[in-house]
Amino acid sequence: DAKTTQPPSMDCAEGRAANLPCNHSTISGNEYVYWYRQIHSQGPQYIIHGLKNNETNEMASLIITEDRKSSTLILPHATLRDTAVYYCIVRVGDMRFGAGTRLTVKP
Amino acid sequence: GAVVSQHPSRVICKSGTSVKIECRSLDFQATTMFWYRQFPKQSLMLMATSNEGSKATYEQGVEKDKFLINHASLTLSTLTVTSAHPEDSSFYICSAKTIWDEQYFGPGTRLTVT
């Protein structure tokens, strides 16, 4: 019962912005959009979350469409250390992970 | 952000033995903790939700008698894999939820059953 759809993989050049899309067309009004990432053999790391407004923090920006059916995570200046699997999750309760997007940042 | 630790970070045990994994919230109290399992090249799968002072809620297909969860305090939850078999070899990850509904993950425990 996947609630989000993400591309399985993406590449990005070092120093460029990485834009990771996520579709969540069945999102409910009280569900937040969360983004986590997992670097190989580590626990997931929180990146950002939002409800309907765009959000920005020191790691990334989150752009949520007005109908809330999709969102984009933006890493403004990707580095090699941003290579990871990125998970988009919609939740109001427990956190359930989909397949995520494997982002590879290349020199 | 809040810190969640796990111990041990990796463990090797023999088939038929039991192994306990600890999950601690270091700088906050967590009334709810979660246990996940991740097989190679797969995503995290939620195994169970653990509430302090009550019985854990297991996801469908997860054997509660095999994966014993104890959440005896607001900062500690333990997962015991009983009578481990090679197919239980996996990466086990816990997470803890703050009172503000934020969820932080531990670094994971790699279990290898020989």
Side-chain angles (χ1 to χ4, degrees), chain A residues 34-72:
Chain A
Y34 280 78
W35 284 83
Y36 282 79
R37 72 181 182 185
Q38 186 179 28
I39 296 169
H40 183 62
S41 294
Q42 297 182 25
Q45 177 189 21
Y46 167 81
I47 301 173
I48 199 167
H49 76 282
L51 183 61
K52 54 183 178 180
N53 296 325
N54 297 337
E55 302 287 345
T56 295
N57 63 20
E58 63 278 3
M59 288 183 70
S61 294
L62 173 61
I63 308 297
I64 303 174
T65 58
E66 195 168 337
D67 62 8
R68 304 211 321 125
K69 292 186 176 182
S70 65
S71 62
T72 301

Side-chain angles (χ1 to χ4, degrees), chain B residues 13-54:
Chain B
C13 72
K14 294 192 174 185
S15 188
T17 63
S18 296
V19 61
K20 180 187 286 188
I21 302 169
E22 292 186 348
C23 175
R24 293 181 186 274
S25 55
L26 297 186
D27 49 1
F28 66 100
Q29 294 184 329
T31 55
T32 304
M33 290 185 170
F34 304 87
W35 287 96
Y36 295 80
R37 180 169 54 181
Q38 185 175 33
F39 292 110
K41 298 190 178 182
Q42 294 186 23
S43 186
L44 286 78
M45 295 292 294
L46 180 64
M47 298 176 66
T49 301
S50 164
N51 291 299
E52 186 263 338
S54 63

Side-chain angles (χ1 to χ4, degrees), chain B residues 89-110:
Chain B
S89 297
S90 189
F91 192 49
Y92 291 87
I93 304 168
C94 74
S95 70
K97 193 162 71 171
T98 71
I99 60 171
W100 300 279
D101 203 34
E102 300 159 325
Q103 194 165 332
Y104 294 93
F105 288 81
T109 296
R110 185 160 303 282

Side-chain angles (χ1 to χ4, degrees), chain A residues 1-16:
Chain A
D1 59 342
K3 303 185 79 171
T4 63
T5 304
Q6 298 178 253
S9 64
M10 292 181 64
D11 290 343
C12 176
E14 188 178 19
R16 298 283 195 158

Side-chain angles (χ1 to χ4, degrees), chain A residues 14-28:
Chain A
E14 188 178 19
R16 298 283 195 158
N19 297 285
L20 292 91
C22 179
N23 285 320
H24 30 79
S25 58
T26 60
I27 192 170
S28 301

Side-chain angles (χ1 to χ4, degrees), chain B residues 55-76:
Chain B
K55 289 184 178 180
T57 302
Y58 291 82
E59 294 297 304
Q60 190 172 9
V62 178
E63 301 173 56
K64 62 180 181 181
D65 294 329
K66 181 168 184 63
F67 299 99
L68 301 180
I69 292 172
N70 184 282
H71 191 166
S73 79
L74 288 172
T75 60
L76 173 64

